[in-house]
Amino acid sequence: KQEVTQIPAALSVPEGENLVLNCSFTDSAIYNLQWFRQDPGKGLTSLLLIQSSQREQTSGRLNASLDKSSGRSTLYIAASQPGDSATYLCAVYDGNKLVFGAGTILRVKS
Amino acid sequence: NAGVTQTPKFQVLKTGQSMTLQCAQDMNHEYMSWYRQDPGMGLRLIHYSVGAGITDQGEVPNGYNVSRSTTEDFPLRLLSAAPSQTSVYFCASSQDTEAFFGQGTRLTVV
C-alpha cells in the first residue's frame, strides 16, 4: 500500500528565506506527483505536476523535483513571502487515484 | 468552463439524517472521485468512478454510497449521518493522471 510522508509537519521562517519541503513515498511505481497549496478553510490549488518521466518542474519561485528511485520529492520555495503561508500537500498518483501526505503547514513571518 | 463544482459549500446535519453531496464537472473526464479531509490526516479516498455506470470503493467507503449515471455527475450519499462523518469533502475529476478539485463541502454532524 502506498504511503506518503511529508516532513516537516510545520515550518516557520522569516520572510526572504529559501526553504525546502520534503515528500517521500513508499512505492516507486508511481505515475505522476503533484504539489498543492491549501489556504485555511479553502480548497486545493495545484502548484506543480511532475510527470513520471520528468525530474523537475518550475513555476516562478517554486521548483519541484522528483526522484522515483529513492521515493522522494522536494518543493523548493525561493525568497519566501508572507503570502506563501499555507498548507502544502504532496500527492502521488496510483493510476488516477491520489494518495496524499498529511501536509506541511508553512508560516512566513514578516 | 467551470471545472469541478460542488454543492453545498456548508452543511449541518443531525445524527441519522441523510443527504447527498453534489459534484459536477464539465471537462468530459471519465475518472471522478471523492475524498474526505480530516485534521492532520491529509485527504483520503472514499469512492471513485472510472466512467458512467462504474464505481468502486476507496480507502474509507463505509457509510457512503455513490452512483455515476452520467459522465458529468458523481453524487455522494450519506444514508444515516454519524458524528464521525464530520469532515471536509472534496470531489475531483481526472484525465491522464492530472486531477482537478472542487472547492469542498464542509459537513458537520451533530
Side-chain angles (χ1 to χ4, degrees):
Chain A
K1 176 187 171 187
Q2 179 73 269
E3 293 182 0
V4 178
T5 303
Q6 290 187 245
I7 294 173
L11 183 62
S12 181
V13 300
E15 181 177 6
E17 250 190 38
N18 302 325
L19 56 100
V20 174
L21 307 182
N22 297 291
C23 172
S24 62
F25 44 94
T26 54
D27 186 347
S28 62
I30 65 169
Y31 287 77
N32 296 342
L33 183 145
Q34 194 162 3
W35 283 91
F36 295 89
R37 169 187 172 137
Q38 186 176 32
D39 294 294
K42 302 296 185 182
L44 278 69
T45 300
S46 177
L47 296 174
L48 292 165
L49 173 73
I50 309 176
Q51 297 184 348
S52 61
S53 59
Q54 298 176 319
R55 293 192 64 86
E56 66 177 342
Q57 277 283 356
T58 298
S59 176
R61 294 183 294 108
L62 305 179
N63 176 275
S65 66
L66 173 63
D67 184 344
K68 287 175 59 179
S69 62
S70 67
R72 295 177 187 271
S73 176
T74 61
L75 178 66
Y76 175 83
I77 302 176
S80 59
Q81 303 170 359
D84 294 330
S85 298
T87 297
Y88 290 80
L89 294 165
C90 167
V92 301
Y93 283 81
D94 176 9
N96 273 300
K97 297 180 200 175
L98 282 159
V99 181
F100 281 85
T104 294
I105 302 171
L106 174 64
R107 179 183 172 213
V108 181
K109 299 173 288 186
S110 57
Chain B
N1 189 340
V4 180
T5 302
Q6 287 184 238
T7 56
K9 288 186 170 54
F10 302 93
Q11 183 72 46
V12 179
L13 287 179
K14 294 182 179 179
T15 298
Q17 284 186 320
S18 63
M19 79 160 295
T20 300
L21 280 64
Q22 302 290 345
C23 176
Q25 53 97 3
D26 60 1
M27 297 173 281
N28 203 33
H29 289 168
E30 293 294 330
Y31 188 91
M32 295 185 74
S33 50
W34 277 101
Y35 295 83
R36 62 177 286 173
Q37 185 178 30
D38 301 299
M41 297 187 71
L43 280 73
R44 292 180 292 167
L45 181 64
I46 304 172
H47 284 285
Y48 65 96
S49 169
V50 299
I54 307 169
T55 64
D56 207 344
Q57 296 180 351
E59 181 185 356
V60 287
N62 292 340
Y64 307 95
N65 283 347
V66 292
S67 60
R68 185 93 178 272
S69 56
T70 67
T71 298
E72 295 78 20
D73 299 300
F74 190 43
L76 178 72
R77 297 184 186 85
L78 285 72
L79 297 179
S80 179
S84 61
Q85 294 178 303
T86 293
S87 189
V88 182
Y89 293 84
F90 289 98
C91 176
S93 73
S94 308
Q95 190 80 6
D96 298 328
T97 56
E98 181 176 7
F100 300 86
F101 283 82
Q103 286 303 298
T105 296
R106 187 173 295 272
L107 175 68
T108 301
V109 182
V110 298

